[in-house]
Amino acid sequence: MKSPRTALITGASRGIGRAIAGRLAEEGWDLLLSARNEQGLNEAVGSLSESGAAVRGVPADMGKPGDVEALATAQYDRGSELDLLVLAAGIGTGGPVDGYRMDRLDLQFAVNVRAPFHLVSLLLPALRAAARSRPELGARIVAMSSITGQSAEPGLAAYGATKAALTRFCETVTTEEGGNGVLATAFAPGYVDTDMAAWVHESIPPGQMMKTSDVAELTLALTRLSRWAAVPAIVMTRPGPNLHRA
């Protein structure tokens, strides 16, 4: 009998990452969770552990390369195989291009682009090993991009640029690693009902936004596909007259 499938999830203390962790725990996955907020991370680990799932947590700030490396080390400490890497940690600040602060731009690229690139590069051996162990399924990388990386949104130039880069990174990983059974998918949703979307509640009520459970279900579905089904990107948008807006 094969051991449970393993997943590492960044940004797992809240929002989309937390929802994905919960859904995988229900399915019996062995989870390594990470988040910058240690208290929130401990609460997530404790809550999911009560359900009987095997869950561990490693605090890490994705804006710090040393933390990214420590997280990869923690993954190898628990085993040489990784079936699923979920890159849900992210940061975004709005504002027009005119006068936009470069330190805010740099931080978004560090967290939204550099950290995923770095973590994937460090964990590719574990992902390849999992793909060899389960050749019918392979291994998956799921990254939380954004619909703003697909279509421009006023005031979100910096954020959209980082998410466009993340989407292209996932596509490239699949072209390079698909032969090894490692496939990457960028999720590009519009507004999901999380605290990151609170700033638009006056114009878009939370009840009319996508749910974190929607993203979690699609993530689980990807892990059930054969290794021959590559899904480079999934665009998710709210119903309405313009399907290219958040």
Side-chain angles (χ1 to χ4, degrees), residues 5-236:
R5 297 173 76 184
T6 59
L8 189 162
I9 306 170
T10 69
S13 65
R14 59 191 177 94
I16 292 173
R18 176 65 176 80
I20 293 173
R23 192 67 185 88
L24 293 175
E26 292 173 1
E27 296 292 317
W29 285 61
D30 185 330
L31 304 178
L32 178 61
L33 309 184
S34 181
R36 183 178 58 179
N37 185 316
E38 187 169 359
Q39 179 179 348
L41 177 63
N42 290 338
E43 290 173 355
V45 171
S47 175
L48 294 177
S49 296
E50 289 177 358
S51 69
V55 187
R56 281 155 283 183
V58 176
D61 183 341
M62 292 295 98
K64 299 178 179 179
D67 283 15
V68 175
E69 293 167 0
L71 180 56
T73 297
Q75 167 57 39
Y76 285 111
D77 286 345
R78 72 168 180 157
S80 61
E81 298 181 5
L82 179 63
D83 296 283
L84 174 65
L85 171 61
V86 177
L87 302 166
I91 188 172
T93 59
V97 174
D98 185 11
Y100 198 84
R101 287 170 41 188
M102 291 299 100
D103 60 332
R104 293 166 65 188
L105 176 68
D106 292 341
L107 179 59
Q108 287 176 89
F109 267 96
V111 174
N112 298 348
V113 183
R114 190 189 192 282
F117 193 110
H118 192 186
L119 193 57
V120 169
S121 69
L122 293 171
L123 293 177
L124 273 175
L127 290 160
R128 292 172 185 149
R132 289 192 298 270
S133 180
R134 291 182 169 86
E136 72 285 358
L137 293 172
R140 298 272 172 176
I141 299 166
V142 171
M144 294 305 129
S145 184
S146 168
I147 201 170
T148 60
Q150 306 283 326
S151 298
E153 188 81 14
L156 294 175
Y159 182 71
T162 66
K163 294 303 186 177
L166 182 59
T167 297
R168 184 53 51 89
F169 171 62
C170 287
E171 293 171 348
T172 304
V173 168
T174 294
T175 64
E176 291 184 358
E177 294 294 330
N180 295 321
V182 180
L183 306 173
T185 300
F187 277 71
Y191 289 116
V192 180
D193 185 14
T194 68
D195 55 358
M196 281 190 69
W199 67 286
V200 294
H201 279 177
E202 289 187 4
S203 57
I204 305 174
Q208 296 178 18
M209 293 181 178
M210 285 169 275
K211 312 306 176 189
T212 57
S213 59
D214 297 328
V215 184
E217 286 297 327
L218 280 177
T219 300
L220 182 62
L222 281 175
T223 68
R224 293 171 170 166
L225 300 178
S226 80
R227 63 169 290 182
W228 305 109
V231 184
I234 297 176
V235 177
M236 302 173 66

